Amino acid sequence: MSPAKKTSNTEDYLRMYRQMVRIRTFEDNANQLYLSAKMPGLTHMYSGEEAVAVGICEALEVTDKITSTHRGHGHCVAKGAAFKEMFCELLGKEEGYCRGKGGSMHIADQSNGNLGANAIVGGSMGIATGSAFTAKLLGRDDVTVCFFGDGATAQGLMYEVMNMAALWKLPVIYACENNGYSEYTATDEIAAGSIPARAEAFGIEAHSVNGQDVLAVNQLTQDLVARARKGEGPFFMELMTYRYHGHHVGDINREYYRRKDEERDWKDNKDPITLFGAYLTKEGIATKENLAEMQAAIEADAAAAVEYALAAKYPDTSEVDMHVFTDVKHALA
Amino acid sequence: MSPAKKTSNTEDYLRMYRQMVRIRTFEDNANQLYLSAKMPGLTHMYSGEEAVAVGICEALEVTDKITSTHRGHGHCVAKGAAFKEMFCELLGKEEGYCRGKGGSMHIADQSNGNLGANAIVGGSMGIATGSAFTAKLLGRDDVTVCFFGDGATAQGLMYEVMNMAALWKLPVIYACENNGYSEYTATDEIAAGSIPARAEAFGIEAHSVNGQDVLAVNQLTQDLVARARKGEGPFFMELMTYRYHGHHVGDINREYYRRKDEERDWKDNKDPITLFGAYLTKEGIATKENLAEMQAAIEADAAAAVEYALAAKYPDTSEVDMHVFTDVKHALA
Amino acid sequence: MRNITLSQAVNEALAEEMRRDETVFIIGEDVAEAGTPFKVLSGLVEEFGTDRVVDTPIAEPGFMGLAVGAAMTGTRPVVDLMFGDFIYLIMDQLCNQAAKTHYMSGGKLNVPLVVRTNLGATRRSAAQHSQSLHALVAHIPGLKVALPSSAYEAKGLMKTAIRDDNPVVIFEDKLMYNDKAPVPEEEYLIPFGQANVLREGSDITLIGTSSMVQVCQQAAELLASEGVSAEVIDPRTIVPLDEETLLKSAKKTSRVIVVDEGHQSFGITGEIASRINEKAFYHLDAPVLRMGAMDVPVPFSPALEDITVPTPEGVAASARKLMSGEMIHAA
Amino acid sequence: MRNITLSQAVNEALAEEMRRDETVFIIGEDVAEAGTPFKVLSGLVEEFGTDRVVDTPIAEPGFMGLAVGAAMTGTRPVVDLMFGDFIYLIMDQLCNQAAKTHYMSGGKLNVPLVVRTNLGATRRSAAQHSQSLHALVAHIPGLKVALPSSAYEAKGLMKTAIRDDNPVVIFEDKLMYNDKAPVPEEEYLIPFGQANVLREGSDITLIGTSSMVQVCQQAAELLASEGVSAEVIDPRTIVPLDEETLLKSAKKTSRVIVVDEGHQSFGITGEIASRINEKAFYHLDAPVLRMGAMDVPVPFSPALEDITVPTPEGVAASARKLMSGEMIHAA
Ligand SMILES: Cc1ncc(C[n+]2csc(CCOP(=O)(O)OP(=O)(O)O)c2C)c(N)n1
Ligand SMILES: Cc1ncc(C[n+]2csc(CCOP(=O)(O)OP(=O)(O)O)c2C)c(N)n1
Ligand SMILES: [Mg+2]
Ligand SMILES: [Mg+2]
């Protein structure tokens, strides 16, 4: 764990802890909804990677943008979303952030600068770069962070947009969440050479950081965001992390591609919440009891939101052809 | 100019010279056909880059494969094609290599391992990699060279296939013909960072070489081909070169993107044929007269081929729906 | 005859062809040990090894391009495209390269490859994992397009596709992977361009593709109980299209509905309907009706998603309208 | 009214909109100093600078994706896709992202962008630089598709497209860039979804798109000289499609030919013909005929290329057939 900046950071630290616990709790509930067959479709759990989303998003302003992935609940919570609208979305309800039209793979609190989760691996890399282009063209000072996985580094689109971002010095940060796997395949089987070196070859400054250390992630991001705001971007970050669950909630028997003891090691020894909790108590920023209370409150929140969402109503069937075009109320009318 | 290997290379050297002159002569005639409005459409001249195609193709066997580009006449000649079928193709005649269906941008002598010129920039990178995949899967020892321009390095496809080639150690050589421009734009305006470093980031050994020095190109290629045959590939070569003409034959007024004195400098001081001719005479491999005679013979050949092609017949209109599918004589019958 | 799932049928087809011809290989994401997310390829890597069941990085344009080059040089790749929605990513390599190489080379080069992918909504997978995009591919000369409607078709069409010297795209219905159907033990192939008449009828023709064949069958049952005799036809391949069988039926029944899970507008129903209209016009008592998926991105919410796709009840209702002459007033 | 070329018309539309709204910018290959290979954009970079007339690397998927993100965050990109054939490369960003974002976000995000590209064969550019691929885009819900048929339409539709809050794809006919037409000095916009009746007639309706509008006009002249009165209609946008105008004409003349330069099979002619058949069936004296480009990759050889595209003579011949009732025997 990196050293504390100053005690005036107490609030920031507690908020980061809180946000990590909120993500974990959200995912536990989502998994439960799946297991009890109350959630339509499948979903990809962010559990284990919380320090990445939180460390990064806590370094951003509301006006800064992010693009997210199929594994997007963590980014959504970290960028400021509320449980109620998230669970409603997960269940396809009208009060969801996307009125139930997006679901888990497109969940986003757009008003907080989340430009959307994306079900096309690498699909949001252009979007993030374009968002940074807007900032530059219109003279705004916001920065965009593009989240994507190690698997997404295989998509050619990434190199196309990194080239343009580098040529035009766009305020975008490419954040590669390297959790060691893409679906059922280990990263070293699908990524030749070095991931950060690929960014460097385009003249982009690249960093590798321990993605389980929320303070390290946050500190690096703060630096890069500040520099990107000054026109020194783009940047590339590789965040070494791990997903606790299978690729998606249905990926239960996974020993053919990933050993159980490896999973245990990460959970026991590298859990971002446990590590940061220990740090907070050691530094006297919070007591164990404080943290337990916080967690209990979050769990209660989540339970209430789940209950609300389960009872909430589905969109009216007349919504089916709304929002195809902005200017046509019902596209098929 | 690199030092001569040994005098037993005399024949190889003269063949290389001859092939370079054949390309130049082919292009001069093609340009003339355009200027005299005898050629349908446009075409992209290879003049100035001859040492690249010849240096590389002379290091290959007939069984080795190449993929070519929109600027493909040079590759086609260098891989062994004959003037007659080439001019016929250029003019859309039935006796062309592609029965007139391909034209300049798809010209190829398929029987010599040319898998086709390609009008999609970067479009053949997958094809070349797949050809190398075949060699590996079927246990053949042929090597594939993928020709492409500096502009094509912006296409994401390149990074996707380099990744796979590197992971699977495929016998493919990516040959980037860096002629300083893509269409009407200088390379440094559209390529961030370093081109060879991009290959290296994927764990691919990369070389930069003077593309006007046919012996240097040939030597490097011989080495890499030999190693690729042994399973040490893939490799990446950046060949620094220059195109004398505009982007295509119609690109006449080009001072807004390229200075005339720059063009003059390359033609006067870096012409691959002039340089190699001087070397051959200096080393006593040929006299000026030998070279002049060779050139005259080639010019006569070309003139005859042009004449033949001009008089040759167009494909019968019934050919229009042939070759849509291999197993259907007339797709629309 | 034994019953096996569509998944097993595809698996058998691939295994048989890979045994028969060692130039056949499979390439795609998580095709080897994982056997794809739908587990369709389970066991193949054990028999054929990782040289012939090749796990790729997540690089659809890249491995599609690689397959084109491999096919041009002596192998027969089967490209595994995990979701039909990713076809957008491979369009250039499929349509600018694979589809045109034979033609552009004047017949000198062949591209014998298969793209196997899927279609179909109602899996709660939202707009980017639920599309039925076969119309895009069918529009491009040089590509053949097969739409198996059961395990039987899935096996027979796959074997034919692998032996075909042209690029073929096969769309499987992902909701049908676990559906069983009778499949012979003995080897068989289903020729391209031969429609299958699943049910004979005299009052109306229901032409259904892929997932919609079942829907048409069920609609025919509903109609039968009302005394309407519906003929059900599955074209099996849309390129080439067996016009003859479709026209024969249209001329017999004089009423036709074409049902498909692709978006209705600018989709395949317009083509099939137009060919029938053009060539059987004077035999028709009513316009050929089309029922595709709604022209909206596929919504996630079950409450919305389910109404975007034609149903047996919907098809039967349209049939009743056609029979009753209600269309006359509409037209 | 002054006459200007289609090229100038597009240029004016862009310049006017860029002056009016500083969030409009152009992005693509060689759009700035070079003003595109067709020189359509000449002069714009001088007025608006390289920040708003942005030369890109040769990375179509990349700059298309960038435009989607830019559009989502407050700008109005005009993406310059040098050849319509490259649309395959941007399909994922266009169809999985741009087209679906508004819907998937429940109406929260907009993607107000324009893709301007082209179509049309007979330029001797062979199979990868001659395609007319508007059908692919028209099939995807969430995209609007405009096909200007003259300088007048090119200007008015472009201005409307730029102001539209949805993604719009405009296909210009590359052979028409130097064709002049009367274009008002005053500002005007052409609303989407309003077909243009270029010529009134009573015997037969010729519906033509883009390059084929001229072909239909010329065919109408030929027919007029034989005493056949043809109505010529240009839909101008195919999404949205002005069904009303088309149906009205079909009901009046009872005979329709739809002419388009995209490949005929699984193209847009099938959709237009089907809608007319469905909704005007009982008014038709003959089946709606379709004439698209031949279902072959576009060949290079002039001797072959010229016969792949509908011609005035061909359209007139088909019209005569329809008039003479010859179709009855065919059907
Ligand atoms: C273009 C595309 N190809 C394939 C998939 C299927 N798919 C979904 S997630 C995934 C793995 C992604 O791995 P990574 O980028 O490392 O993210 P992670 O799941 O590890 O967070 C794959 C292959 C997809 N959604 N999109
Ligand atoms: C995918 C694609 N985009 C754009 C073009 C148009 N185009 C043809 S050649 C060319 C420039 C290519 O530059 P480079 O790769 O350096 O090759 P060079 O012409 O210099 O040999 C462009 C942009 C194309 N043919 N294909
Ligand atoms: Mg991963
Ligand atoms: Mg170049």
Side-chain angles (χ1 to χ4, degrees):
Chain A
M1 200 58 23
S2 343
K5 283 205 314 195
K6 22 184 161 58
T7 31
S8 74
N9 286 324
T10 301
E11 255 180 55
D12 295 347
Y13 286 9
L14 289 176
R15 204 177 49 243
M16 282 196 239
Y17 185 83
R18 186 161 186 278
Q19 287 291 67
M20 290 204 288
V21 175
R22 286 185 73 232
I23 295 173
R24 181 74 53 91
T25 307
F26 184 89
E27 295 299 48
D28 288 345
N29 279 277
N31 195 34
Q32 214 42 55
L33 284 167
Y34 169 76
L35 292 174
S36 56
K38 287 181 185 145
M39 194 194 69
L42 291 171
T43 182
H44 309 82
M45 303 274 93
Y46 199 72
S47 315
E49 309 192 13
E50 292 87 350
V52 175
V54 172
I56 288 176
C57 290
E58 284 293 318
L60 301 178
E61 305 292 330
V62 182
T63 45
D64 291 324
K65 311 288 186 294
I66 64 166
T67 61
S68 169
T69 68
H70 59 285
R71 196 177 301 288
H73 307 166
H75 312 132
C76 194
V77 171
K79 195 71 174 63
F83 279 172
K84 202 178 83 178
E85 287 82 355
M86 283 188 71
F87 280 116
C88 280
E89 190 57 42
L90 220 57
L91 299 180
K93 303 301 178 77
E94 187 190 296
E95 286 179 75
Y97 278 118
C98 310
R99 301 188 70 80
K101 280 181 168 151
S104 167
M105 289 206 286
H106 304 292
I107 201 163
D109 173 6
Q110 301 87 359
S111 66
N112 271 318
N114 186 340
L115 299 177
N118 210 307
I120 301 299
V121 166
S124 68
M125 288 166 166
I127 294 170
T129 310
S131 167
F133 185 93
T134 290
K136 192 175 178 201
L137 182 67
L138 302 187
R140 296 181 189 157
D141 80 342
D142 56 283
V143 168
T144 304
V145 175
C146 177
F147 287 102
F148 57 95
D150 46 286
T153 63
Q155 287 281 332
L157 183 66
M158 172 166 142
Y159 305 92
E160 299 196 359
V161 297
M162 285 201 311
N163 189 29
M164 287 185 267
L167 286 166
W168 305 334
K169 297 197 159 299
L170 300 183
V172 56
I173 299 175
Y174 299 101
C176 176
E177 310 184 297
N178 189 341
N179 60 11
Y181 295 88
S182 54
E183 280 197 351
Y184 320 112
T185 304
T187 308
D188 55 9
E189 290 173 37
I190 51 90
S194 144
I195 289 175
R198 298 188 193 171
E200 280 162 353
F202 287 87
I204 297 179
E205 185 180 311
H207 297 265
S208 232
V209 61
N210 176 1
Q212 305 309 87
D213 179 345
V214 71
L215 290 185
V217 173
N218 184 251
Q219 189 55 62
L220 175 62
T221 312
Q222 286 193 26
D223 291 351
L224 299 183
V225 167
R227 289 173 58 198
R229 278 200 219 291
K230 288 190 288 180
E232 294 175 26
F235 297 103
F236 189 96
M237 294 162 74
E238 184 186 27
L239 302 118
M240 309 311 292
T241 186
Y242 201 75
R243 61 164 158 80
Y244 289 168
H245 291 259
H247 170 58
H248 55 61
V249 286
D251 173 24
I252 306 292
N253 299 317
R254 51 184 179 268
E255 278 163 275
Y256 70 93
Y257 74 86
R258 195 166 94 166
R259 295 192 325 276
K260 281 215 164 140
D261 57 352
E262 178 186 296
E263 296 188 0
R264 212 171 300 116
D265 179 47
W266 280 86
K267 287 183 191 171
D268 292 351
N269 304 316
K270 301 176 194 164
D271 183 73
I273 297 177
T274 310
L275 289 176
F276 194 46
Y279 170 84
L280 292 178
T281 50
K282 197 188 87 209
E283 295 285 319
I285 297 170
T287 63
K288 280 196 176 172
E289 291 67 39
N290 296 152
L291 300 183
E293 270 164 38
M294 191 193 283
Q295 169 141 359
I298 291 170
E299 279 168 11
D301 252 24
V306 167
E307 206 175 328
Y308 184 92
L310 284 168
K313 74 180 182 51
Y314 284 112
D316 190 83
T317 53
S318 70
E319 285 227 16
V320 72
D321 66 344
M322 289 170 67
H323 307 126
V324 180
F325 294 110
T326 60
D327 49 355
V328 185
K329 187 144 176 96
H330 288 285
L332 303 178
Chain B
M1 199 59 23
S2 347
K5 282 206 313 192
K6 18 186 163 62
T7 32
S8 73
N9 287 324
T10 301
E11 254 179 56
D12 296 347
Y13 287 9
L14 288 177
R15 206 179 45 245
M16 283 197 241
Y17 186 83
R18 185 162 188 277
Q19 288 289 67
M20 290 203 290
V21 175
R22 288 185 72 233
I23 294 173
R24 182 74 53 91
T25 307
F26 184 89
E27 294 299 48
D28 288 345
N29 279 277
N31 194 34
Q32 215 40 58
L33 285 167
Y34 169 77
L35 292 174
S36 57
K38 288 182 184 144
M39 195 193 66
L42 292 171
T43 183
H44 309 82
M45 303 274 94
Y46 199 73
S47 315
E49 308 191 12
E50 293 88 349
V52 175
V54 172
I56 289 176
C57 291
E58 284 294 317
L60 301 178
E61 305 293 329
V62 181
T63 46
D64 292 323
K65 312 287 186 294
I66 65 165
T67 61
S68 169
T69 68
H70 59 285
R71 197 176 301 288
H73 307 165
H75 312 131
C76 193
V77 170
K79 196 69 177 62
F83 279 173
K84 201 178 83 177
E85 287 83 354
M86 282 187 71
F87 281 117
C88 281
E89 190 58 41
L90 220 57
L91 299 180
K93 302 300 178 78
E94 187 190 297
E95 285 180 74
Y97 278 119
C98 310
R99 302 188 71 78
K101 283 182 165 149
S104 166
M105 289 207 286
H106 304 290
I107 200 164
D109 173 6
Q110 302 85 0
S111 66
N112 272 318
N114 187 340
L115 298 178
N118 210 307
I120 301 298
V121 165
S124 68
M125 288 168 165
I127 294 170
T129 310
S131 168
F133 185 93
T134 291
K136 192 176 179 201
L137 182 67
L138 303 187
R140 296 180 189 157
D141 79 344
D142 57 282
V143 168
T144 304
V145 175
C146 177
F147 287 102
F148 57 95
D150 47 285
T153 63
Q155 287 280 333
L157 184 66
M158 171 166 143
Y159 304 92
E160 298 196 359
V161 297
M162 285 201 310
N163 189 30
M164 288 185 267
L167 287 167
W168 306 334
K169 297 196 159 299
L170 300 183
V172 56
I173 299 175
Y174 299 101
C176 176
E177 310 185 297
N178 189 341
N179 61 10
Y181 296 88
S182 53
E183 282 196 351
Y184 319 111
T185 303
T187 307
D188 55 10
E189 290 172 38
I190 51 90
S194 145
I195 290 175
R198 298 187 193 172
E200 281 163 352
F202 286 86
I204 297 178
E205 186 180 310
H207 298 265
S208 233
V209 61
N210 176 1
Q212 305 308 88
D213 179 347
V214 70
L215 290 185
V217 172
N218 184 250
Q219 190 55 60
L220 175 62
T221 312
Q222 285 193 27
D223 292 349
L224 298 183
V225 168
R227 289 173 57 199
R229 279 201 219 291
K230 288 190 289 180
E232 295 174 27
F235 297 104
F236 189 96
M237 294 164 74
E238 185 186 27
L239 303 118
M240 309 312 291
T241 185
Y242 201 75
R243 60 164 159 80
Y244 289 169
H245 291 259
H247 170 59
H248 54 62
V249 285
D251 172 25
I252 305 294
N253 299 317
R254 50 183 179 268
E255 277 163 274
Y256 70 93
Y257 75 86
R258 197 165 93 166
R259 293 192 326 276
K260 280 216 163 140
D261 58 352
E262 177 185 296
E263 296 188 1
R264 213 172 299 116
D265 178 47
W266 280 85
K267 287 185 192 170
D268 291 352
N269 304 315
K270 302 176 193 163
D271 183 74
I273 298 177
T274 310
L275 290 175
F276 195 44
Y279 171 83
L280 291 178
T281 50
K282 197 189 86 208
E283 295 286 320
I285 296 170
T287 63
K288 280 196 176 169
E289 292 66 38
N290 295 152
L291 299 183
E293 270 165 37
M294 192 193 283
Q295 168 140 1
I298 290 169
E299 278 168 12
D301 251 25
V306 166
E307 205 174 327
Y308 183 93
L310 283 169
K313 73 181 182 52
Y314 284 113
D316 189 82
T317 53
S318 70
E319 286 227 16
V320 72
D321 66 345
M322 289 170 68
H323 308 128
V324 180
F325 295 109
T326 60
D327 47 356
V328 185
K329 187 141 177 97
H330 289 285
L332 304 178
Chain C
M1 214 184 291
R2 78 220 159 109
N3 280 302
I4 62 173
T5 63
L6 192 146
S7 201
Q8 286 171 310
V10 172
N11 192 299
E12 279 189 9
L14 290 164
E16 287 175 19
E17 292 306 301
M18 289 178 82
R19 274 173 220 136
R20 190 186 56 79
D21 179 349
E22 59 181 26
T23 68
V24 177
F25 71 96
I26 298 171
I27 186 163
E29 293 151 16
D30 281 320
V31 292
E33 287 77 12
T36 79
F38 297 103
K39 306 295 166 203
V40 176
L41 306 185
S42 296
L44 294 181
V45 72
E46 284 75 12
E47 178 172 354
F48 301 103
T50 52
D51 282 354
R52 294 179 65 198
V53 185
V54 184
D55 269 349
T56 63
I58 312 175
E60 289 83 2
F63 64 74
M64 180 66 214
L66 188 151
V68 177
M72 283 164 68
T73 50
T75 61
R76 293 185 173 269
V78 178
V79 174
D80 190 289
L81 190 72
M82 198 184 287
F83 282 86
D85 311 67
F86 307 159
I87 205 143
Y88 296 128
L89 285 161
I90 65 167
M91 285 296 273
D92 178 61
Q93 291 297 316
L94 182 65
C95 302
N96 269 333
Q97 310 297 344
K100 297 180 171 44
T101 295
H102 187 63
Y103 193 83
M104 293 190 307
S105 69
K108 303 273 181 62
L109 298 168
N110 291 354
V111 187
L113 63 78
V114 178
V115 176
R116 66 166 287 270
T117 190
N118 51 42
L119 57 71
T122 68
R123 270 185 85 247
R124 321 307 179 208
S125 304
Q128 295 173 337
H129 276 63
S130 308
Q131 294 166 84
S132 301
L133 297 174
H134 42 294
L136 302 186
V137 181
H139 184 48
I140 308 306
L143 301 175
K144 298 187 180 180
V145 184
L147 301 173
S149 61
S150 82
Y152 177 79
E153 271 79 21
K155 182 168 181 184
L157 292 171
M158 178 60 77
K159 286 173 67 88
T160 304
I162 291 173
R163 297 186 193 188
D164 199 297
D165 279 335
N166 301 285
V168 179
V169 186
I170 302 196
F171 291 86
E172 297 159 6
D173 175 16
K174 39 182 162 349
L175 276 166
M176 229 189 264
Y177 281 129
N178 294 319
D179 289 2
K180 291 191 172 183
V183 172
E185 305 265 5
E186 320 73 66
E187 168 160 275
Y188 66 97
L189 282 84
I190 300 179
F192 284 0
Q194 291 195 5
N196 183 26
V197 181
L198 286 98
R199 177 185 184 116
E200 304 216 356
S202 51
D203 296 330
I204 188 164
T205 302
L206 306 179
I207 300 172
T209 60
S210 181
S211 51
M212 294 297 110
V213 173
Q214 280 181 22
V215 166
C216 290
Q217 287 275 61
Q218 289 166 28
E221 292 289 334
L222 292 174
L223 292 167
S225 69
E226 301 163 20
V228 175
S229 162
E231 181 145 308
V232 177
I233 307 184
D234 169 13
R236 299 204 285 208
T237 56
I238 51 171
V239 181
L241 183 68
D242 179 0
E243 269 187 25
E244 207 180 306
T245 301
L246 303 184
L247 291 173
K248 209 176 118 196
S249 179
K251 290 180 185 174
K252 177 173 74 174
T253 65
S254 309
R255 290 180 172 83
V256 183
I257 305 182
V258 188
V259 192
D260 177 69
E261 204 178 333
H263 296 299
Q264 177 164 316
S265 286
F266 302 94
I268 74 156
T269 58
E271 181 65 24
I272 296 177
S274 292
R275 294 209 197 169
I276 295 171
N277 275 315
E278 276 162 23
K279 297 182 182 161
F281 185 75
Y282 298 99
H283 299 266
L284 296 176
D285 289 341
V288 177
L289 261 199
R290 305 178 297 142
M291 298 183 73
M294 264 186 196
D295 291 323
V296 304
V298 180
F300 167 71
S301 185
L304 302 180
E305 188 179 26
D306 286 340
I307 61 173
T308 64
V309 174
T311 57
E313 296 70 31
V315 174
S318 294
R320 270 177 231 120
K321 257 201 233 170
L322 268 196
M323 298 300 301
S324 74
E326 217 181 285
M327 294 300 298
I328 299 180
H329 307 294
Chain D
M1 216 183 290
R2 78 221 159 107
N3 281 301
I4 62 174
T5 64
L6 192 145
S7 202
Q8 287 170 309
V10 172
N11 192 299
E12 279 190 7
L14 289 165
E16 288 175 18
E17 293 304 303
M18 289 177 80
R19 273 174 220 135
R20 190 187 56 80
D21 179 350
E22 60 181 25
T23 68
V24 177
F25 71 96
I26 299 172
I27 185 162
E29 292 151 17
D30 281 318
V31 292
E33 287 76 13
T36 79
F38 296 103
K39 306 293 166 205
V40 177
L41 307 185
S42 296
L44 293 182
V45 73
E46 284 75 12
E47 177 171 355
F48 300 103
T50 52
D51 282 355
R52 293 179 65 196
V53 185
V54 185
D55 269 350
T56 63
I58 312 174
E60 289 82 2
F63 64 73
M64 181 65 214
L66 188 151
V68 177
M72 283 164 68
T73 50
T75 62
R76 294 185 173 269
V78 178
V79 174
D80 191 288
L81 190 72
M82 197 184 288
F83 282 86
D85 312 67
F86 307 160
I87 205 143
Y88 297 128
L89 285 161
I90 64 165
M91 285 296 272
D92 178 61
Q93 291 297 315
L94 182 64
C95 303
N96 269 333
Q97 311 296 344
K100 296 179 172 45
T101 294
H102 187 62
Y103 193 83
M104 293 191 307
S105 69
K108 303 272 181 61
L109 298 168
N110 291 354
V111 187
L113 63 78
V114 178
V115 176
R116 68 166 286 269
T117 189
N118 51 40
L119 57 70
T122 68
R123 270 185 85 247
R124 321 308 178 206
S125 303
Q128 296 173 337
H129 276 62
S130 308
Q131 295 166 83
S132 301
L133 297 174
H134 42 294
L136 303 185
V137 182
H139 184 48
I140 308 306
L143 301 175
K144 298 187 179 179
V145 185
L147 300 174
S149 61
S150 82
Y152 178 78
E153 271 79 23
K155 182 167 181 186
L157 292 171
M158 178 61 76
K159 285 173 67 88
T160 304
I162 292 173
R163 298 186 192 187
D164 198 298
D165 279 334
N166 302 285
V168 179
V169 186
I170 301 196
F171 291 86
E172 295 158 7
D173 175 16
K174 39 183 164 345
L175 276 165
M176 230 187 263
Y177 280 128
N178 294 320
D179 289 2
K180 291 192 174 184
V183 172
E185 304 265 6
E186 319 75 65
E187 169 161 274
Y188 67 97
L189 281 84
I190 300 179
F192 284 0
Q194 290 195 5
N196 183 27
V197 181
L198 286 99
R199 178 186 182 115
E200 304 217 356
S202 52
D203 296 330
I204 188 165
T205 302
L206 306 179
I207 301 172
T209 60
S210 180
S211 50
M212 294 297 111
V213 172
Q214 279 181 22
V215 166
C216 289
Q217 286 275 62
Q218 289 165 29
E221 292 290 335
L222 292 174
L223 291 167
S225 69
E226 300 163 20
V228 175
S229 161
E231 180 145 308
V232 177
I233 307 185
D234 169 13
R236 300 203 284 205
T237 56
I238 51 171
V239 181
L241 183 67
D242 180 0
E243 270 186 23
E244 206 180 308
T245 302
L246 304 184
L247 291 173
K248 208 176 117 196
S249 180
K251 290 180 185 174
K252 177 173 74 173
T253 64
S254 310
R255 289 179 173 82
V256 183
I257 305 181
V258 189
V259 192
D260 177 70
E261 204 178 335
H263 296 299
Q264 177 165 315
S265 286
F266 303 95
I268 74 155
T269 59
E271 180 66 23
I272 296 177
S274 291
R275 294 209 197 170
I276 295 171
N277 275 313
E278 277 162 21
K279 296 182 182 161
F281 185 75
Y282 298 98
H283 300 266
L284 296 176
D285 288 342
V288 179
L289 261 198
R290 305 179 297 142
M291 299 184 73
M294 263 187 197
D295 292 323
V296 305
V298 179
F300 167 71
S301 186
L304 303 180
E305 187 179 26
D306 286 340
I307 60 173
T308 64
V309 174
T311 57
E313 296 69 31
V315 173
S318 294
R320 270 177 230 120
K321 258 201 232 170
L322 269 195
M323 298 300 301
S324 73
E326 217 181 283
M327 294 300 298
I328 299 179
H329 307 292

